[in-house]
Amino acid sequence: MNGAELRALVSTEPLLADGGLGTSLIERGVVEIDGCLEALNLERPHVVLDAHRRFVEAGARLVETNTFGANRFALAKFGLEDKVEELNRIGVEIAKQTGAIVAASVGPLRVRLAPYGRVRRKRAREAYAEQIAVLAEAGADMIVIETQSDLNEMEEALAAARSVCELAVVVLATFTRDDRTLLGSTPEQVASRLVELGADGVGVNCSEGPAQVLRIVSAMGPHIGEAPLVALPNAGGPARAGERIVYPATPEYLADYARAFVSAGASIVGGCCGTHPQHIHAMAEALKGPKQLHLEILPTVAPEVTGELTVVPTALESKLKDGRFVISVEMDPPRSTSTAKLLAAAETLAEAGADAINVADSPMARMRMSPWAPARLIQEHVGIETVLHFPTRGRNLLRIQGDLLAAHALGIRNLFVVLGDPARIGDYPAATDNVDVVPTGLIALVADSLNKGKDRAGASIGEPTDFLVGCAVNLAAADLDREARLLRKKIDSGAHFALSMPAYSVDPLRRFRKAYEESHGPLELPILVGVLPLVTSRHAEFLHNELPGVWIPDEIRTRMADSGDKGNAEGRRIAIEVAGELRSEAAGIYLMPPFGRYDIAADIVEAVRS
């Protein structure tokens, strides 16, 4: 099948491809998640054929061969580099037994090309040509170069295919959460360049899930001319469940998106990781009916486009803009190198219904792991967004900016800017305690400099950051007018949301809002009000009498005094009641587990959600 024949094939109706062959094989227990899937072509061909047939029986008209990593570089990791010809040939022969259209799968080399790696482009082209020549000679109907994150590598793979065969060649890129490839190319850049080089089809596979893939194919569409547009998403963003990686999207959800992809211009649709025959069957049934986008499944907040940059809101930002009642929970980094307990607690909180995890930075000036690592690990292993606490104390202006760029590179987009606890109260009272930038100044630095693509000195940083910045507010301040003026300054500097000290009634929020609005007009900044569950009567008295900014009503302290040895349960009830009062007044709550009792926090999150 050449390019003209492929265009003719999809000109009248969309072509449904198969789903996640790799994840299907892994779930059968015949290979480890980090094992060599392609070796199954030799070792267990009947298992591979059965996986193909299940997708075809579900309605797929196109199957991809089990040859994704069958190139010399990827196979060398398993000592199988001498099996390139055999594994690719058998992979095609197995797929042809299904009677479906056979698309020969060609994945990335799994090495970096120069200048980011040590493999020269010539060697990369030779490796691709070696694999693709075998696939074409074995009888594949077309070539699909997929899951590519480097535009340079896509160019070499496409050139290699053109040099060894006349089959139609489709090239699919994969994108990170910010709608760019790992090396920074936009969907528009990828589509334009591939069409310029003669790709017969262009699109996206894998990535973060159907909603993102819909955004990307919509962006690619105007740049591909007559080339077929392809959409093969994962079944949602991957998440860890115990020792397994799971994909949450239901067959019905994928079915709706199949129609949406076609409505957006895609003519080849299917699935990638986590997409099972049930998903493909639902998509096949959906494509028999009207091929129209269901408006209710559109992303809630559309990405903002600035120049060539697509800015994707964080989940926290989207929920705040939607008016959802947000629950964020604070966690302290460990005092050692082990993060196992932290990740276990974060998983519990996520399962209970928390929206985000706030990772504190050296609370009470005590030595702990820097919060970037826990924040990154929580997002990666638990699948819940984090808010990085970023104190300005102890950091000079140079380090502040470098640290922020590092956090952004780790995928951390939500910041909580705060002055930080003075070193004299902690483990190292003689430590340097300088403050180059106050919180208001740091908020302005992020909003007016880094988020606009430059540093504080005005020099370019290449691409803008897209931080969502939070600030602190003291609802029970002794001078509410002064606190209102300070918050107004933070808002003018670019703050997007605020976190408050613990409250034990809705009254502090109401009093502060009244003071603010009398001088500054409506208070539209989302505020997540602090909720710190009480544990004992003594705990309540300590907070009320010794922690500035915390006021506990007499009624609450009396309840704690009367609770006796059941203070934990009473404190939990009070926290749930306060959260209920705040639901109609605040944007959400900022839950602070008492003494690291994340089980108490999870109970409260679950109760508030229900």
Side-chain angles (χ1 to χ4, degrees), residues 57-121:
E57 291 167 359
R61 298 170 53 209
L62 177 150
V63 296
E64 291 192 34
T65 57
N66 184 37
T67 55
F68 178 82
N71 65 76
R72 67 172 77 157
F73 288 105
L75 290 175
K77 300 180 187 300
F78 304 98
L80 298 174
E81 58 271 31
D82 60 340
K83 299 289 186 181
V84 171
E85 189 278 334
E86 191 172 13
L87 292 177
N88 283 284
R89 175 178 52 78
I90 296 176
V92 173
E93 292 172 354
I94 293 171
K96 286 175 69 68
Q97 295 179 51
T98 65
I101 298 168
V102 174
S105 173
V106 178
L109 298 178
R110 299 181 190 173
V111 293
R112 284 282 169 226
L113 274 58
Y116 305 106
R118 301 172 63 187
V119 176
R120 299 295 176 186
R121 294 183 64 150

Side-chain angles (χ1 to χ4, degrees), residues 478-521:
D479 187 342
L480 289 181
D481 290 335
R482 179 182 180 279
E483 188 68 17
R485 288 195 302 273
L486 182 57
L487 183 63
R488 178 71 255 177
K489 188 175 181 181
K490 292 175 181 176
I491 293 172
D492 291 341
S493 297
H496 299 106
F497 67 97
L499 304 179
S500 85
M501 292 286 284
Y504 293 88
S505 162
V506 73
D507 293 338
L509 176 60
R510 289 173 176 167
R511 285 194 293 266
F512 178 81
R513 186 184 299 277
K514 180 180 179 182
Y516 180 95
E517 295 185 344
E518 285 177 351
S519 300
H520 306 287

Side-chain angles (χ1 to χ4, degrees), residues 14-97:
L15 178 63
L16 181 61
D18 59 5
L21 177 62
T23 47
S24 293
L25 293 173
I26 291 169
E27 288 172 2
R28 289 166 184 246
V30 294
V31 64
E32 296 294 329
I33 192 169
D34 55 353
C36 183
L37 293 169
E38 296 74 22
L40 295 176
N41 293 344
L42 281 172
E43 298 167 0
R44 301 198 177 187
H46 62 286
V47 175
V48 178
L49 177 58
D50 182 66
H52 283 316
R53 280 179 170 160
R54 288 179 184 273
F55 282 119
V56 173
E57 291 167 359
R61 298 170 53 209
L62 177 150
V63 296
E64 291 192 34
T65 57
N66 184 37
T67 55
F68 178 82
N71 65 76
R72 67 172 77 157
F73 288 105
L75 290 175
K77 300 180 187 300
F78 304 98
L80 298 174
E81 58 271 31
D82 60 340
K83 299 289 186 181
V84 171
E85 189 278 334
E86 191 172 13
L87 292 177
N88 283 284
R89 175 178 52 78
I90 296 176
V92 173
E93 292 172 354
I94 293 171
K96 286 175 69 68
Q97 295 179 51

Side-chain angles (χ1 to χ4, degrees), residues 408-525:
H408 198 274
L410 291 173
I412 301 165
R413 298 291 187 268
N414 305 308
L415 297 177
F416 173 55
V417 173
V418 66
L419 182 61
D421 295 316
R424 65 178 182 275
I425 71 171
D427 299 330
Y428 298 88
T432 303
D433 213 12
N434 298 332
V435 179
D436 270 11
V437 183
V438 297
T440 303
L442 179 53
I443 293 168
L445 186 154
V446 173
D448 294 335
S449 296
L450 298 182
N451 276 1
K452 293 182 179 178
K454 57 186 179 181
D455 66 10
R456 187 66 179 81
S460 172
I461 60 171
E463 295 177 355
T465 59
D466 55 351
F467 286 118
L468 182 78
V469 187
C471 65
V473 61
N474 185 354
L475 301 179
D479 187 342
L480 289 181
D481 290 335
R482 179 182 180 279
E483 188 68 17
R485 288 195 302 273
L486 182 57
L487 183 63
R488 178 71 255 177
K489 188 175 181 181
K490 292 175 181 176
I491 293 172
D492 291 341
S493 297
H496 299 106
F497 67 97
L499 304 179
S500 85
M501 292 286 284
Y504 293 88
S505 162
V506 73
D507 293 338
L509 176 60
R510 289 173 176 167
R511 285 194 293 266
F512 178 81
R513 186 184 299 277
K514 180 180 179 182
Y516 180 95
E517 295 185 344
E518 285 177 351
S519 300
H520 306 287
L523 177 55
E524 298 178 348
L525 185 75

Side-chain angles (χ1 to χ4, degrees), residues 519-602:
S519 300
H520 306 287
L523 177 55
E524 298 178 348
L525 185 75
I527 296 178
L528 274 61
V529 177
V531 173
L532 172 54
L534 301 171
V535 176
T536 63
S537 177
R538 184 177 179 183
H539 183 214
E541 294 301 329
F542 171 81
L543 295 176
H544 180 73
N545 291 283
E546 297 194 37
L547 193 62
V550 176
W551 170 79
I552 303 180
D554 293 343
E555 176 196 350
I556 299 296
R557 287 184 288 134
T558 299
R559 285 176 61 180
M560 289 304 298
D562 292 342
S563 66
D565 60 0
K566 297 182 180 179
N568 265 334
E570 187 64 21
R572 205 169 3 224
R573 278 192 290 271
I574 291 169
I576 294 168
E577 291 169 9
V578 172
E581 292 177 6
L582 291 168
R583 184 174 289 277
S584 61
E585 305 264 355
I589 60 171
Y590 171 41
L591 185 57
M592 307 170 194
F595 309 111
R597 291 293 304 274
Y598 298 113
D599 55 334
I600 293 177

Side-chain angles (χ1 to χ4, degrees), residues 235-239 246-251 253-254 274 279:
V246 297
Y247 297 83
T250 64
Y253 189 75
L254 264 293
H279 294 91

